[in-house]
Amino acid sequence: MGAIAGIMEAQYNILRKKGHAPSEAFNETDYREKLGEELKTMRESEMWKAGAKGKRT
């Protein structure tokens, strides 16, 4: 099992133990929206841009 699969399974198991339904444990829409926002923030940060420039040269 890969690292990401293991993390997803652990998250699922914890949420199920707390009484969440399987559909609530992985609400893909909310997860993808939040992830997209976080990645956009990172991509637009000065540190990220500086690192990207350094890799190109």
Side-chain angles (χ1 to χ4, degrees):
M1 177 181 301
I4 293 176
I7 291 168
M8 297 294 278
E9 183 179 4
Q11 177 186 14
Y12 176 85
N13 291 335
I14 289 169
L15 290 170
R16 290 293 290 146
K17 284 179 186 176
K18 292 184 177 185
H20 293 277
S23 61
E24 293 175 313
F26 288 109
N27 187 337
E28 242 182 84
T29 304
D30 289 345
Y31 172 75
R32 286 184 184 195
E33 287 176 8
K34 185 175 180 180
L35 178 62
E37 290 171 12
E38 291 174 1
L39 291 174
K40 181 181 176 193
T41 300
M42 286 176 56
R43 216 176 17 253
E44 293 175 352
S45 73
E46 282 186 50
M47 186 166 50
W48 185 268
K49 288 178 184 179
K53 280 185 180 179
K55 287 185 177 182
R56 290 184 202 150
T57 57

